[in-house]
Amino acid sequence: RQPARAGEGCARMADFSGGSMSSGGGSMAGMGADLGTLDEPVTETIMRDLRMVGNKMLCVLNPRKANMQTLKNWDLWGPLVLCLTLATLLSWFAPYEQKSLVFASVFVIVCCGATVVTVNALLLGGNISFFQSVCVLGYCIFPLNIASVICLIGGPLIWRLAVVAVCFFWSTSASLGFMGELVPTNRRALAVYPLFLFYTSIGWLILIAARTSPYS
């Protein structure tokens, strides 16, 4: 009986080792597929990232025809570039002694505002990850970046108010198209309210900065 048990135990060990080796081989093969981009040229990597950022900006510009799966594949490069661009534009025309304050204010409002809106959506039971929400909110300030360029170029006050209002609703509707689907229906109003405050504060900063522009 002991030799039989020993043979049976060896067979089990062989099956176990064979299964672990095959699963390990599969995981290694998966890792090899994931690591395949390490050998590509740097220019190809940069162009791929730029195309990804461009596609997400197009989703924001045309939210009705946007593929929401594109925005679900989050990244923080685009939001960072848009935030830095907006802060640079608004601080460029600010008085010399206020340039650093304006730049820091825009950066803090965008970063902290996106964080607060995201945490609020998560507390309301939203089915979304933290970085996905920050990514969407960051990309959706792109219309307000366009508004800042137009307003800083100049024009009457009514023109600037109209531009900021249109871009504000543009940004808000784009973000609502994504965030509204991930928050329970009976709590969407509670999730929408911080979004309005977030984009309203950015639009107000644009109007204040436009008043100090030499072209206004």
Side-chain angles (χ1 to χ4, degrees):
R1 293 181 180 179
Q2 290 182 354
R5 291 181 180 178
E8 185 179 353
C10 291
R12 290 179 180 178
M13 290 295 294
D15 293 338
F16 178 77
S17 61
S20 63
M21 288 297 290
S22 61
S23 61
S27 62
M28 289 299 292
M31 290 178 62
D34 294 335
L35 297 177
T37 57
L38 292 178
D39 296 331
E40 69 180 9
V42 177
T43 55
E44 186 175 344
T45 303
I46 294 175
M47 291 304 299
R48 186 181 67 250
D49 292 340
L50 290 177
R51 285 193 296 268
M52 176 186 62
V53 172
N55 289 334
K56 291 178 181 178
M57 287 185 180
L58 290 177
C59 290
V60 173
L61 291 178
N62 193 4
R64 293 184 178 180
K65 297 182 179 180
N67 182 8
M68 291 304 172
Q69 187 62 38
T70 302
L71 289 175
K72 286 183 179 180
N73 297 327
W74 62 269
D75 71 276
L76 299 180
W77 287 112
L80 178 62
V81 170
L82 291 174
C83 178
L84 292 176
T85 301
L86 181 63
T88 302
L89 285 172
L90 298 186
S91 63
W92 185 268
F93 297 105
Y96 179 77
E97 63 277 5
Q98 297 180 1
K99 288 183 180 294
S100 59
L101 177 62
V102 172
F103 185 92
S105 298
V106 174
F107 197 83
V108 169
I109 288 175
V110 172
C111 295
C112 294
T115 302
V116 170
V117 173
T118 300
V119 172
N120 178 69
L122 291 174
L123 292 177
L124 292 174
N127 184 21
I128 186 174
S129 72
F130 180 84
F131 290 109
Q132 279 181 342
S133 178
V134 171
C135 172
V136 171
L137 295 173
Y139 273 105
C140 287
I141 68 173
F142 182 46
L144 289 170
N145 279 42
I146 299 175
S148 65
V149 174
I150 297 174
C151 291
L152 291 174
I153 290 176
L157 178 60
I158 297 179
W159 164 250
R160 285 176 285 172
L161 285 172
V163 170
V164 172
V166 170
C167 292
F168 162 76
F169 285 109
W170 199 346
S171 295
T172 305
S173 62
S175 61
L176 285 178
F178 180 80
M179 299 289 289
E181 297 180 358
L182 302 175
V183 177
T185 306
N186 59 341
R187 298 180 179 178
R188 285 182 181 176
L190 296 175
V192 169
Y193 179 68
L195 279 175
F196 276 97
L197 293 180
F198 176 55
Y199 292 116
T200 299
S201 61
I202 298 176
W204 184 251
L205 284 176
I206 294 173
L207 289 175
I208 294 176
R211 292 182 57 187
T212 60
S213 171
Y215 303 105
S216 58

